[in-house]
Amino acid sequence: MSSVPPGSGWPGDPACPDTPVAHDAHEVAKLAAESRTLTELTARQSVCRACPRLVEWREEVADVKRRAFADETYWGRPIAGWGDETPHTLIVGLAPAAHGGNRTGRIFTGDRSGDWLFASLYRTGLAAQETSVHAGDGQRLIGARMMAAVRCAPPANKPTPEERDTCFPWLARELALVAGTTRVIVALGGFAWQAVWPALREAGFALPPRRPPFGHAVEVPVSYGAAPVTLIGCYHPSQQNTFTGRVTADMLDAVFTRAAALGTTDL
């Protein structure tokens, strides 16, 4: 099976068999713009087939599998945004991992990077459990929501500019739907930092005229209406970064402690 059919009982599946499917960039833009709720938007995200290369790759991975997960059914579909529906903190990453989210059905779940991320979120009060291994494991985010700039696992973790642009309306619309409560956005890695900037502008956030360079713990003040919002850069907890010490648990905790403090200041 190349992917889990919508509405077939996968834990947390936001879609049903009659959820409309986008087959190209024009349809992505149309379906995203017409989504009035997060429930509607996440369902449509989760069945998107607009990028042929990504569809082929995510489904091939779901068929072939990694030996360690040979007995598991892979999700094999786009990974929708997930978490609190009225978040104060947003966490934006690049894309799902082929044997992480593409397998588990939840963003940032089921690989080493996710292990580091969720452990830090738990220590800083943004997640209910220390680990996240699958969409049905009982994990929940506390005042936080996760989303990716590209919703499908890309080959070599490198989406093309066209794929990034095709996925852009999903990100921008999700940001718009949670903008009213958002006070902090954490960008995991330089790609997410670049991708979230135009999406925030499209969603109605007021930004500085120039985008500052990405860096760990870099903070940029933005706003939504009269509400102050802070964009924070964070090195991605990739295996390369954690193995080399470029990212440590203390560094992640410092960013998310800061995010939690900023996010709850006016609550």
Side-chain angles (χ1 to χ4, degrees):
M1 183 171 60
S2 298
S3 61
V4 172
S8 59
W10 188 278
D13 186 352
C16 57
D18 61 354
T19 297
V21 179
H23 292 91
D24 57 35
H26 174 75
E27 291 182 351
V28 170
K30 180 176 184 294
L31 290 176
E34 292 175 351
S35 298
R36 300 302 173 210
T37 66
L38 282 173
T39 298
E40 193 171 45
L41 180 71
T42 54
R44 294 173 175 186
Q45 291 172 1
S46 77
V47 295
C48 183
R49 301 184 67 84
C51 298
R53 187 182 79 113
L54 297 186
V55 172
E56 181 180 5
W57 172 251
R58 78 190 191 210
E59 294 185 355
E60 177 184 341
V61 169
D63 278 337
V64 175
K65 305 180 182 180
R66 179 174 284 171
R67 181 178 299 178
F69 309 121
D71 295 333
E72 296 187 22
T73 298
Y74 275 49
W75 171 252
R77 284 165 45 193
I79 308 299
W82 172 77
D84 201 316
E85 294 197 353
T86 55
H88 55 72
T89 297
L90 304 181
I91 302 162
V92 182
L94 164 58
H99 301 280
N102 190 58
R103 172 177 61 88
T104 67
R106 180 191 289 154
I107 189 169
F108 303 138
T109 292
D111 62 5
R112 288 289 184 87
S113 297
D115 292 344
W116 275 72
L117 178 62
F118 277 99
S120 181
L121 294 175
Y122 175 75
R123 290 191 298 266
T124 56
L126 295 172
Q129 298 176 181
E130 189 173 8
T131 61
S132 181
V133 297
H134 203 275
D137 64 2
Q139 177 67 280
R140 63 185 177 87
L141 296 180
I142 302 168
R145 186 173 185 84
M146 297 176 164
M147 57 192 76
V150 175
R151 305 300 164 115
C152 295
N157 292 320
K158 294 181 179 179
T160 66
E162 181 180 4
E163 289 162 352
R164 175 203 62 201
D165 293 346
T166 297
C167 216
F168 176 86
W170 295 133
L171 177 61
R173 184 60 184 152
E174 191 160 0
L175 289 169
L177 287 172
V178 298
T181 60
T182 295
R183 297 297 176 264
V184 184
I185 304 109
V186 178
L188 293 176
F191 186 101
W193 181 266
Q194 295 177 24
V196 77
W197 198 264
L200 288 170
R201 192 180 303 280
E202 178 71 16
F205 289 78
L207 309 177
R210 294 184 179 179
R211 184 179 67 219
F214 170 75
H216 187 77
V218 168
E219 295 187 12
V220 180
V222 301
S223 62
Y224 186 78
V229 180
T230 304
L231 174 61
I232 305 177
C234 181
Y235 288 155
H236 194 286
S238 64
Q239 289 192 51
Q240 180 179 2
N241 282 345
T242 56
F243 284 173
T244 61
R246 188 173 191 233
V247 173
T248 66
D250 286 345
M251 290 170 66
L252 287 179
D253 288 0
V255 166
F256 289 115
T257 296
R258 174 67 170 159
L262 288 170
T264 57
T265 296
D266 58 352
L267 297 182

